Amino acid sequence: MDQIVNVNEFQELARQALPKMYYDYYSGAAEDKHTLKENVEAFSRIMFRPRVLVDVSKIDMSTRILGYPISAPIMIAPTGNHMLAHPQGETVTAKAAAACNTIMIVSCMSSCTLEEVALSCNAVRFLQIYVFERRDVTAQVVKRAEKAGYKAIVLTVDVPKLGRREADIKNKMIPPKLRNFEGLTKVQPSEGSGVEAFASRALDASLNWKDIEWLRSITKLPILIKGILTPEDALKAVEAGVDGIVVSNHGGRQLDYSPATITVLEEVVHVVKGRIPVLLDGGVRRGTDVFKALALGAQAVLIGRPIVYGLAAKGEDGVKKVIEMLKNEFELTMALSGCPTIGDITRNHVRTEDERLKSNL
């Protein structure tokens, strides 16, 4: 792995390692894939305003999310079906997260059961969930998460219906059995049915803001909402009493031509006014991206596809390498920008495209 110099290089290694159907499943997105590309490219339009002659001989990247300490503001996003990338699936990803002292958000669509992931290593982890038409299924999963020591629930809210992922349709991708829902036929893919048919049968398209109250009534765990892209919804989330927001467009897999998450982060942060943490998901491929997200008000970023690519290419070591590379780049960016601690990163350290255009008028 010595010849790998950045996170992007893991994508090609994963492409070589995986069957085409599985690589397409992980790398694919909705329709024209505009949002997928824009998630990454939007970062390149944000420039730095580095400060010099600051003592950066010691850099401290550590931070806390919901009170839990992590080594850097880089967390693992929920992604499903890790056994398609590695025979031991999410247990390997979890061990890498623990070794890197960060938080993994485990997907309820994981290949391993949430209990298996919990037993694999001692670390702080959150559980991502969907609300199914059968509410008792969701309630059961939440109770199991509490019992297994998960520290928060991350509710994904941008999938009333599944986005049109054309590569999966073309490949006739059939999702594997979901071990978190064994014995529950309504939330299992049926023989020969694709991802889309399964989602339309299992997920609850009637989910709305009132249901947040229901979720709060069945758990004492903190609840974060993942899938917010507008200040209007961010305000509603705060009013609904959630404990955190994840600005996310589902990695471009849902509504194509939704905005790149980094472009809407600041307006979400503006209405939240520091009352709850705001995390950014989508497009982070460099340590410079992590810095830009924090400068625009995020408490941390979530890493999705690069983690799966690292897992597919090199197993646990690959996942660790992805996280460590991002941490090393982030540490260097902090030093070169004149920021010895996370608290020193401010809005004045970056300049967005809008600001540059206005200054040229």
Side-chain angles (χ1 to χ4, degrees):
M1 277 199 292
D2 292 345
Q3 65 273 38
I4 301 169
V5 295
N6 63 57
V7 163
N8 289 315
E9 292 181 0
F10 275 103
Q11 182 164 358
E12 177 55 25
L13 293 178
R15 192 185 66 76
Q16 292 166 17
L18 291 169
K20 183 180 184 299
M21 181 187 283
Y22 296 166
Y23 174 75
D24 288 353
Y25 168 71
Y26 289 129
S27 66
E31 297 181 358
D32 299 325
K33 302 186 183 176
H34 173 84
T35 296
L36 171 66
K37 292 183 277 242
E38 184 63 8
N39 266 354
V40 175
E41 287 168 12
F43 278 101
S44 68
R45 298 193 289 273
I46 300 167
M47 296 293 148
F48 289 126
R49 299 183 70 249
R51 304 301 302 272
V52 297
L53 294 173
V54 177
D55 180 356
V56 289
S57 56
K58 291 188 181 71
I59 299 286
D60 181 6
M61 296 183 285
S62 66
T63 188
R64 286 176 178 269
I65 300 298
L66 298 182
Y68 298 105
I70 51 177
S71 59
I74 299 165
M75 296 165 56
I76 296 185
T79 51
N81 298 310
H82 285 200
M83 271 189 193
L84 301 182
H86 189 282
Q88 283 144 340
E90 288 80 5
T91 58
V92 171
T93 316
K95 284 174 188 167
C100 294
N101 188 16
T102 193
I103 294 169
M104 175 181 178
I105 305 176
V106 180
S107 168
C108 69
M109 302 296 191
S110 55
S111 312
C112 305
T113 66
L114 61 92
E115 289 85 1
E116 285 167 347
V117 179
L119 288 169
S120 67
C121 57
N122 183 26
V124 173
R125 62 187 68 78
F126 301 167
L127 183 74
Q128 174 273 339
I129 63 163
Y130 293 100
V131 171
F132 295 100
E133 275 198 356
R134 278 188 53 186
R135 294 298 167 89
D136 60 313
V137 171
T138 303
Q140 202 178 89
V141 170
V142 169
K143 289 290 167 234
R144 284 169 55 199
E146 287 180 341
K147 198 175 168 189
Y150 286 76
K151 303 299 185 191
I153 297 295
V154 179
L155 174 66
T156 298
V157 294
D158 57 4
V159 192
K161 293 185 181 300
L162 199 72
R164 187 174 166 79
R165 303 167 191 180
E166 292 175 358
D168 291 344
I169 296 166
K170 195 174 276 189
N171 291 332
K172 297 185 169 58
M173 172 72 188
I174 297 165
K177 289 283 183 209
L178 299 167
R179 294 198 42 235
N180 278 321
F181 309 105
E182 271 175 336
L184 300 162
T185 51
K186 278 269 172 103
V187 286
Q188 287 293 359
S190 55
E191 282 304 313
S193 98
V195 181
E196 207 169 353
F198 154 66
S200 65
R201 194 176 68 251
L203 299 175
D204 188 354
S206 76
L207 185 70
N208 62 70
W209 287 105
K210 290 181 201 141
D211 296 309
I212 305 301
E213 208 174 311
W214 167 77
L215 186 59
R216 288 189 55 179
S217 75
I218 64 164
T219 183
K220 291 186 171 66
L221 291 177
I223 296 166
L224 294 87
I225 289 190
K226 177 175 177 283
I228 299 288
L229 288 171
T230 64
E232 295 92 331
D233 279 346
L235 200 53
K236 283 193 164 189
V238 172
E239 287 164 359
V242 303
D243 301 284
I245 285 172
V246 183
V247 176
S248 173
N249 53 35
H250 216 104
R253 292 164 82 84
Q254 280 301 100
L255 178 64
D256 201 18
Y257 297 92
S258 10
T261 48
I262 193 66
T263 65
V264 296
L265 170 64
E266 192 169 20
E267 55 186 9
V268 167
V269 166
H270 184 69
V271 299
V272 169
K273 294 188 169 74
R275 287 173 282 186
I276 54 175
V278 177
L279 311 180
L280 178 99
D281 171 56
V284 175
R285 301 292 183 269
R286 287 279 189 183
T288 48
D289 299 338
V290 181
F291 187 100
K292 289 170 185 180
L294 266 67
L296 292 173
Q299 265 76 46
V301 300
L302 309 187
I303 312 297
R305 286 183 181 88
I307 295 292
V308 177
Y309 296 149
L311 179 67
K314 301 286 179 183
E316 185 181 339
D317 288 340
V319 177
K320 284 196 283 202
K321 181 90 169 171
V322 165
I323 298 168
E324 293 302 336
M325 278 183 153
L326 290 170
K327 281 169 69 171
N328 291 341
E329 289 177 6
F330 177 55
E331 184 176 33
L332 181 61
T333 307
M334 286 175 68
L336 296 179
S337 298
C339 298
T341 70
I342 297 289
D344 295 312
I345 301 172
T346 70
R347 180 62 180 80
N348 286 330
H349 284 98
V350 294
R351 204 172 189 203
T352 61
E353 187 178 36
D354 282 353
E355 287 168 324
R356 292 202 310 281
L357 293 171
K358 277 177 194 162
S359 70
N360 289 336
L361 290 177

